[in-house]
Amino acid sequence: VQLMDYTRALNYYKTALAIDEEIGNKAGAARVKNNIGIAFWKLLDYNQSMKYLQEALCAQESIGDKSGVALTLGNIGTLY
């Protein structure tokens, strides 16, 4: 089932992000920021989308997550 309720998804993502940041899970926070960026893209809020995708990219680069970097760069490319 695909509900496509991106506003609701953002609430879940932001809760997950807060938890990841609280426990110091940098990889998890980066993944969630990538997902938040996608949700904003689906909501046609391209500025917010790019903001979160850039944050995800910086975090992934800082922890050496090459797979995450590749995924996020692909999402940034799709946004353009």
Side-chain angles (χ1 to χ4, degrees):
V1 175
Q2 195 169 20
L3 301 176
M4 294 203 241
D5 186 348
Y6 298 110
T7 301
R8 188 171 185 182
L10 281 171
N11 290 328
Y12 285 104
Y13 287 143
K14 288 181 179 183
T15 300
L17 179 59
I19 293 168
D20 279 330
E21 289 176 340
E22 179 183 329
I23 64 173
N25 183 2
K26 292 180 182 181
R31 279 191 303 271
V32 172
K33 286 179 181 183
N34 187 59
N35 290 340
I36 291 172
I38 293 169
F40 276 120
W41 167 48
K42 296 290 188 175
L43 290 169
L44 307 179
D45 189 339
Y46 301 122
N47 289 329
Q48 281 294 96
S49 178
M50 184 59 77
K51 173 186 178 275
Y52 278 96
L53 289 172
Q54 289 289 345
E55 288 180 16
L57 182 62
C58 287
Q60 290 157 336
E61 288 174 336
S62 75
I63 62 172
D65 179 3
K66 290 186 179 185
S67 177
V69 167
L71 176 69
T72 301
L73 285 173
N75 288 334
I76 290 171
T78 300
L79 181 60
Y80 277 111

